[in-house]
Amino acid sequence: MTEAPLTFVDPRQFKANTRVAVDDDHLRASFRSAMDFLQTKRAGHFSDRDGFEALRGVGEAVRQYSLSRLPELLERLETNLKARGVHVHWAQTPEDANAIFLAIAQRHGARAMVKGKSMVSEEIELNHRMLEHGIDCLESDMGEYIVQLAGERPSHIIMPAIHKTKQQIAALFEEKIPDTPYTEDVDALIAIGRRVLRDQFRDAPIGVSGVNFMVADTGTLVLVENEGNGRMCTTVPDVHIAITGIEKVVETFEQVLPLYSLLTRSATGQAITTYLNVITGPRRDGEGELDGPRELHLVLLDNGRTQAYRDADFRPTLQCIRCGACMNHCPVYARIGGLAYGTTYPGPIGSIISPHLLGLEPTQDLPTASSLCGACAEVCPVGIPIPELLMQLRHAAKHDAEPGHAPLAGQASAKDWKEALAWKAWAQVNASPGLYGTLTGMAHRLRGLTPPWQAGWTANRTPLRPAARGLRERLKDEG
């Protein structure tokens, strides 16, 4: 299929994108309704606050423990995967990852791949990079398939097409899928998508998937899904390539259980998902075609994750299990949607991870896209202190690295000498009582020069010097 050009792909245009999104009344209404629905579903599964806090404490401890031993666990994972016949590849950058995919496809003479849901494959823009070499990548998750047809990024990490109405999807299918009549019947639309995708599972020589958790001790890949397309992608094609970030590893299978419980309840308000796929390697000798692929590859992507890992202040960013709960409760995301961010990961989690993946220079506006209300941290199932991380990134964008800290990519790229000079002057004024009093007195005397649009506000303000004098007199009387 021909890829449509992606829209809203530059985080440098974030402010302009937000103006477009805020002016879209339909988009705002759709997101508000969807976020309210998801919040209600989640609340129903975490009605016991103490129970949630206890489970979150376990999840946070598992993620922190795993990250504290990340290099060791990754080495153990690689050893155990190789022992099960899995080919393990390490990719420093998106370019490295795409080169690995291309080499595997060319070795097998593959001209097509069928993909399950994978945000990391979105991160490396796999579809577009493979198409440059004549290899079609078809999304098999229904939401991902819809946004692929539309030439858009996913607007949510769990529900990629949440910004689309059934009318928009009906028109899209009519335009893009041959011999498809316009229909707004949701069941019919699902059937249309299923008809297209079923043939691809059978015919594509390579299946691609993401990974939710990797178990180091057993060499196991765990994949969570609801549609069954992930299971098809990982079993029907002859070759399966899984791709994920290096942070998704845990030590034991027991550690997956609390994370799985937190993920499903936080993401979609489900006690469990429809499918939990546990992958332990390619098919063995003597097993049939229905027992899995002949060849299994795992691509482990860095792409800035080690930058977050090396600094203890930013390491909690990597605790994320990609549930999307922070987006569902964010007042900023609910008003502008996910596409406005111009990044693979939108919302609060995107605002703290994208600066590591892309650098601070193009993403400097994202950490400011928050009211710092704390809703994201309150619902995060693994205890990521998102507001604190946003503040640290805001500081890093404006200032050089502190002594003893390695600079982030793009550190101080938002530094403004005029702003720095203004704050320096402000500090000097407030450090000198005499200077402060002189300047505030002058401001009072020159209030007649206030612009007309501010006159109503200043006319009702108590003059600064008399107020300060009265405060000093009261303090003397009380002292």
Side-chain angles (χ1 to χ4, degrees):
M1 64 180 292
T2 301
E3 278 299 307
L6 287 173
T7 57
F8 283 139
V9 294
D10 189 354
R12 293 179 180 87
Q13 301 301 316
F14 174 71
K15 292 182 178 179
N17 294 345
T18 59
R19 286 191 287 271
V20 174
V22 168
D23 287 340
D24 189 335
D25 293 336
H26 175 78
L27 179 72
R28 294 185 63 184
S30 296
F31 264 89
R32 182 67 275 160
S33 175
M35 297 303 102
D36 289 345
F37 172 75
L38 291 168
Q39 288 179 24
T40 301
K41 291 251 311 183
R42 176 195 172 278
H45 281 280
F46 289 128
S47 56
D48 179 359
R49 182 70 187 182
D50 291 339
F52 168 65
E53 291 295 343
L55 184 58
R56 172 159 68 174
V58 175
E60 181 180 5
V62 168
R63 293 302 297 130
Q64 290 181 346
Y65 174 79
S66 301
L67 291 173
S68 72
R69 304 179 62 188
L70 184 61
E72 172 195 340
L73 293 182
L74 287 172
E75 290 179 2
R76 194 187 312 173
L77 174 73
E78 180 181 31
T79 298
N80 289 324
L81 283 171
K82 286 183 174 180
R84 292 180 176 273
V86 180
H87 302 272
V88 180
H89 309 267
W90 300 85
Q92 185 74 21
T93 65
E95 292 75 19
D96 294 338
N98 284 312
I100 292 167
F101 273 90
L102 181 61
I104 296 171
Q106 290 178 336
R107 187 165 66 251
H108 290 276
R111 309 308 300 171
M113 300 179 183
V114 61
K115 289 180 56 200
K117 191 172 184 307
S118 166
M119 292 306 296
V120 179
S121 73
E122 295 281 353
E123 186 180 323
I124 68 171
E125 297 186 339
L126 177 67
N127 297 1
H128 287 74
R129 301 293 80 78
M130 292 302 101
L131 191 61
E132 292 171 355
H133 297 275
I135 301 171
D136 281 331
C137 293
L138 182 68
E139 299 286 354
S140 64
D141 174 270
M142 186 57 66
E144 292 277 0
Y145 178 61
I146 291 168
V147 297
Q148 183 181 34
L149 286 180
E152 297 174 348
R153 287 187 186 274
S155 60
H156 192 286
I157 63 175
I158 300 298
M159 292 148 290
I162 198 171
H163 59 292
K164 293 287 189 187
T165 66
K166 64 181 179 181
Q167 292 83 6
Q168 291 172 325
I169 295 170
L172 185 67
F173 279 16
E174 181 186 31
E175 176 190 357
K176 298 288 186 177
I177 302 176
D179 303 320
T180 298
Y182 181 92
T183 176
E184 295 181 9
D185 182 270
V186 174
D187 291 336
L189 291 170
I190 295 297
I192 292 168
R194 183 181 294 122
R195 184 190 73 232
V196 174
L197 296 172
R198 283 285 172 174
D199 290 340
Q200 295 297 324
F201 292 128
R202 182 192 63 227
D203 298 337
I206 295 178
V208 179
S209 78
V211 180
N212 290 99
F213 309 108
M214 304 178 291
V215 183
D217 276 358
T218 58
T220 303
L221 308 181
V222 180
L223 178 61
V224 176
E225 51 148 341
N226 274 317
E227 297 181 17
N229 62 304
R231 183 161 296 184
M232 298 285 279
C233 289
T234 60
T235 57
V236 178
D238 251 3
V239 179
H240 170 207
I241 308 175
I243 181 170
T244 191
I246 58 175
E247 79 277 17
K248 294 292 187 69
V249 66
V250 297
E251 184 172 26
T252 67
F253 203 89
E254 288 77 12
Q255 293 173 346
V256 171
L257 302 181
L259 297 178
Y260 174 61
S261 181
L262 287 164
L263 172 61
T264 57
R265 288 168 167 81
S266 299
T268 54
Q270 296 173 266
I272 58 173
T273 52
T274 308
Y275 298 91
L276 175 65
N277 303 295
V278 179
I279 301 169
T280 56
R283 81 174 78 131
R284 275 70 167 179
D285 292 339
E287 293 182 332
E289 292 183 358
L290 299 180
D291 294 312
R294 287 189 300 104
E295 192 171 305
L296 175 57
H297 298 259
L298 174 66
V299 180
L300 292 165
L301 179 67
D302 180 351
N303 193 29
R305 288 164 172 81
T306 52
Q307 173 178 274
Y309 178 79
R310 76 189 180 200
D311 192 317
D313 291 339
F314 292 112
R315 188 175 296 178
T317 305
L318 301 180
Q319 291 172 205
C320 180
I321 57 174
R322 302 295 191 271
C323 69
C326 60
M327 300 177 191
N328 302 342
H329 292 75
C330 176
V332 176
Y333 176 85
R335 283 159 178 78
I336 65 174
L339 298 182
Y341 290 81
T343 54
T344 301
Y345 306 101
I349 184 60
S351 295
I352 63 172
I353 197 170
S354 296
H356 298 290
L357 306 184
L358 302 173
L360 263 171
E361 191 278 323
T363 62
Q364 59 188 255
D365 289 330
L366 300 188
T368 68
S370 171
S371 64
L372 299 180
C373 65
C376 51
E378 185 176 344
V379 300
C380 177
V382 287
I384 303 175
I386 296 177
E388 288 83 353
L389 292 167
L390 289 170
M391 292 301 294
Q392 291 170 22
L393 288 167
R394 292 182 187 186
H395 185 272
K398 296 280 188 180
H399 301 86
D400 295 322
E402 300 290 337
H405 289 258
L408 303 182
Q411 179 100 29
S413 56
K415 184 187 293 186
D416 185 334
W417 69 268
K418 297 185 291 296
E419 181 181 340
L421 182 62
W423 281 114
K424 184 175 182 180
W426 181 89
Q428 291 178 341
V429 168
N430 282 271
S432 170
L435 184 58
Y436 179 85
T438 298
L439 291 177
T440 53
M442 290 174 59
H444 171 56
R445 289 183 173 83
L446 297 175
R447 67 186 184 279
L449 301 178
T450 303
W453 59 271
Q454 285 187 346
W457 183 78
T458 57
N460 295 300
R461 301 287 293 175
T462 303
L464 294 173
R465 173 165 279 190
R469 185 185 303 117
L471 175 61
R472 286 195 297 269
E473 291 172 353
R474 286 197 301 275
L475 291 174
K476 286 181 180 178
D477 291 341
E478 293 173 4

